[in-house]
Amino acid sequence: MKLEAKKLKSGIREKCLDAFFSALEHVESQNTIKQFLNDVLTESEKVMIGRRILIAKKLLIGRPYREIVREMGVGLDTIYKVRIWLGGRHKGIEKVVEKV
């Protein structure tokens, strides 16, 4: 059964997110973070996150949407969602993508 995070009680959702972020703060090396994420995320989840990062990078360097659609095999809605993240309050993705 797939969990929908938005349907969780607010307190439970926040505790889950705090646990995840706290775990990431304790990672000491790139190898350890790779091992940790391989243990806790499915292959599909890792690919989806990586795909968002690549889309964000392409958007930041000014690639046209249609080119991204063709190269990445994604829909325009996915690109729009990443664009909103880049242009909105989600500054973490932009800071990280610039370093990738």
Side-chain angles (χ1 to χ4, degrees), residues 45-86:
E45 290 167 332
K46 291 180 283 190
V47 168
M48 300 305 272
I49 293 167
R51 186 170 71 171
R52 290 179 193 141
I53 291 167
L54 292 173
I55 292 167
K57 185 168 183 146
K58 290 175 186 298
L59 288 170
L60 288 172
I61 62 173
R63 289 279 183 77
Y65 285 26
R66 294 288 176 193
E67 184 178 311
I68 297 170
V69 166
R70 189 177 65 254
E71 287 179 5
M72 301 297 301
V74 298
L76 286 171
D77 55 330
T78 301
I79 297 169
Y80 294 142
K81 186 184 298 184
V82 174
R83 169 51 75 197
I84 289 169
W85 293 340
L86 289 172

Side-chain angles (χ1 to χ4, degrees), residues 1-19:
M1 176 167 76
K2 186 175 178 180
L3 172 71
E4 292 187 44
K6 291 180 181 180
K7 290 186 178 180
L8 285 175
K9 291 181 182 177
S10 181
I12 301 279
R13 183 178 173 275
E14 293 305 316
K15 284 181 182 179
C16 291
L17 291 172
D18 286 346

Side-chain angles (χ1 to χ4, degrees), residues 8-39:
L8 285 175
K9 291 181 182 177
S10 181
I12 301 279
R13 183 178 173 275
E14 293 305 316
K15 284 181 182 179
C16 291
L17 291 172
D18 286 346
F20 180 68
F21 296 133
S22 178
L24 289 176
E25 288 175 359
H26 290 89
V27 175
E28 298 173 1
S29 70
Q30 184 175 3
N31 190 46
T32 305
I33 195 164
K34 189 180 274 189
Q35 289 174 334
F36 172 72
L37 293 176
N38 277 328
D39 289 346

